[in-house]
Amino acid sequence: MTELANLTTMEVDALTDLDGGLNLTDGHARLYLSPEQAAIVDRIPEMFTAASCRPFPRIERAAHAAFLRAIGQHTAPVGTGRILSCYSSTLATDIVARALPAGATIAVLHPTFDNIADLFVTRGLRLVPLSEEALLDRDWPGPPVSAIVVTHPNNPTGLVTPEGHLRSLAEHAAGHGQTVIVDASFRGQVRDAQYDTYAVLDAAGADWITIEDTGKLWPTHELKIGLLAYSERTTLPIERAFSESLLAASPVVLQLVEALAADWVDGGYERARDLVERNRTVVRESIGEVGLRLADPTSQISVARIGLPVDGPDSAALYQDMLERGVHVLPCAPFHWADPKSGLRFIRVSLARPFETVQKAASTLVESYRHLSAAA
């Protein structure tokens, strides 16, 4: 198969395209501010003043409480010191990777975004894949696996781990001395994913770590927070690993998160959801012209996989042809970090973009697919 870069490298290429190509790679919200969001951004000078006057712990606690309430996590350990503010969920993941014992075996959901696996491998951990089918069958790995990592909802498929399945996993992990790690970076986009996972994990007596992210929700151009929360039971040196990475997140960004979380509850979620679903519809209708279908028709997150037939061009070829036409998307082989070939028949487009951008990209994808199919 064609050698592909990792997903983040492809996303950076899209961001730095000097020719102004369309960027449908990363899952961040690259949109125009709504009037409500623009009014909040206009208050940033006030937030700078408050950051100089208010104690940082009060600012941080208020942001944690507002954001976690907005996404249904009512029993998260706000104010206990067990929620750490990072400037990205990627940094939070790296902190977790460094806190886990070097050489430990961990199970990671497959497929999922490749930098999750890459960060764990870089920190000396041994990975085994946990398929989505195994998750849905509640087929949990035992020792020597010491931690089990699930992405909720999963990127790129949109799979939501049902509450009963998370409870089963937590009870299994508690019985086998394992840590449950939940990457919930896309949770804010999907109501079905917003049951209180902290209550489920604690009730099962599990040792747990969760990672939350604000970057997938609002078009704030990397002004975001990744939250790293952990159970009272854990003995992992998470605070030490955190202190090796940063002093603190920005109190200005924390205030911005607090205000945007209030808007998310007050209609912001519905406005964002409507746009994503409108964009998903135009992609589905456009690709239907050439007989293609969405691979995950029930997905609700702000990305969509398109399935490619085995007798047509694969996603590596389609990705390259679309690049030549000025459109950046993601081939899915890297998401299948344990078996890249199994991802060759999927390509992913981001939906948190202006409608006109997604419409044009979908049209280009159809043109590219027709061209490659005719040349085959």
Side-chain angles (χ1 to χ4, degrees), residues 241-359:
F242 176 87
S243 70
E244 293 169 349
S245 301
L246 76 164
L247 174 62
S250 165
V252 175
V253 176
L254 284 164
Q255 291 175 81
L256 184 62
V257 165
E258 179 186 1
L260 289 168
D263 176 64
W264 200 242
V265 174
D266 190 22
Y269 171 86
E270 286 76 16
R271 290 190 296 271
R273 178 69 182 273
D274 288 347
L275 175 61
V276 166
E277 290 310 310
R278 185 186 181 201
N279 287 343
R280 199 185 314 275
T281 297
V282 75
V283 170
R284 181 176 61 247
E285 292 176 348
S286 296
I287 64 175
E289 297 174 10
V290 288
L292 299 179
R293 299 288 183 269
L294 295 180
D296 313 293
T298 62
S299 172
Q300 300 176 62
I301 63 174
S302 63
V303 300
R305 284 195 313 168
I306 297 164
L308 303 174
V310 294
D311 58 350
D314 65 27
S315 60
L318 187 58
Y319 161 74
Q320 189 60 48
D321 192 81
M322 291 186 71
L323 272 184
E324 294 171 5
R325 298 169 187 266
V327 178
H328 297 259
V329 294
L330 292 180
C332 285
F335 287 97
H336 295 246
W337 51 268
D339 179 21
K341 288 185 178 180
S342 64
L344 280 174
R345 291 294 149 191
F346 304 98
I347 200 158
R348 198 199 78 169
V349 298
S350 291
L351 303 174
R353 302 292 191 271
F355 175 76
E356 295 75 16
T357 298
V358 175
Q359 185 180 44

Side-chain angles (χ1 to χ4, degrees), residues 47-117:
M47 297 175 189
F48 270 90
T49 301
S52 300
C53 301
R54 291 175 60 198
F56 179 81
R58 292 183 185 175
I59 293 174
E60 184 178 46
R61 179 170 182 166
H64 290 176
F67 178 68
L68 290 162
R69 281 199 304 265
I71 60 172
Q73 304 310 294
H74 301 291
T75 65
V78 175
T80 65
R82 291 189 285 109
I83 304 179
L84 305 175
S85 302
C86 305
Y87 51 74
S88 71
S89 59
T90 296
L91 176 60
T93 303
D94 189 52
I95 290 169
V96 172
R98 285 189 285 113
L100 290 167
T105 299
I106 63 173
V108 178
L109 194 60
H110 188 269
T112 199
F113 200 80
D114 66 346
N115 85 326
I116 296 174

Side-chain angles (χ1 to χ4, degrees), residues 24-207:
L24 276 76
T25 58
D26 61 273
H28 293 192
R30 301 197 182 278
L31 299 161
Y32 301 110
L33 292 168
S34 69
E36 296 83 0
Q37 292 167 338
I40 291 169
V41 170
D42 284 344
R43 292 164 40 202
I44 286 180
E46 301 171 21
M47 297 175 189
F48 270 90
T49 301
S52 300
C53 301
R54 291 175 60 198
F56 179 81
R58 292 183 185 175
I59 293 174
E60 184 178 46
R61 179 170 182 166
H64 290 176
F67 178 68
L68 290 162
R69 281 199 304 265
I71 60 172
Q73 304 310 294
H74 301 291
T75 65
V78 175
T80 65
R82 291 189 285 109
I83 304 179
L84 305 175
S85 302
C86 305
Y87 51 74
S88 71
S89 59
T90 296
L91 176 60
T93 303
D94 189 52
I95 290 169
V96 172
R98 285 189 285 113
L100 290 167
T105 299
I106 63 173
V108 178
L109 194 60
H110 188 269
T112 199
F113 200 80
D114 66 346
N115 85 326
I116 296 174
D118 289 345
L119 288 169
F120 287 127
V121 169
T122 297
R123 296 300 180 182
L125 300 165
R126 179 179 178 272
L127 271 56
V128 295
L130 171 68
S131 69
E132 290 189 335
E133 293 75 17
L135 184 153
L136 292 173
D137 289 341
R138 307 189 191 197
D139 183 10
W140 313 120
V145 168
S146 60
I148 301 171
V149 183
V150 296
T151 314
H152 168 73
N154 194 20
N155 171 23
T157 66
L159 175 70
V160 171
T161 300
E163 183 173 356
H165 289 63
L166 183 65
R167 182 177 299 109
S168 170
L169 170 58
E171 291 171 350
H172 169 90
H176 291 83
Q178 298 166 317
T179 300
V180 177
I181 301 173
V182 180
D183 182 328
S185 294
F186 278 86
R187 188 207 302 270
Q189 297 184 353
V190 182
R191 290 279 191 244
D192 291 344
Q194 293 175 17
Y195 61 85
D196 193 338
T197 59
Y198 297 89
V200 172
L201 294 165
D202 276 331
D207 181 11

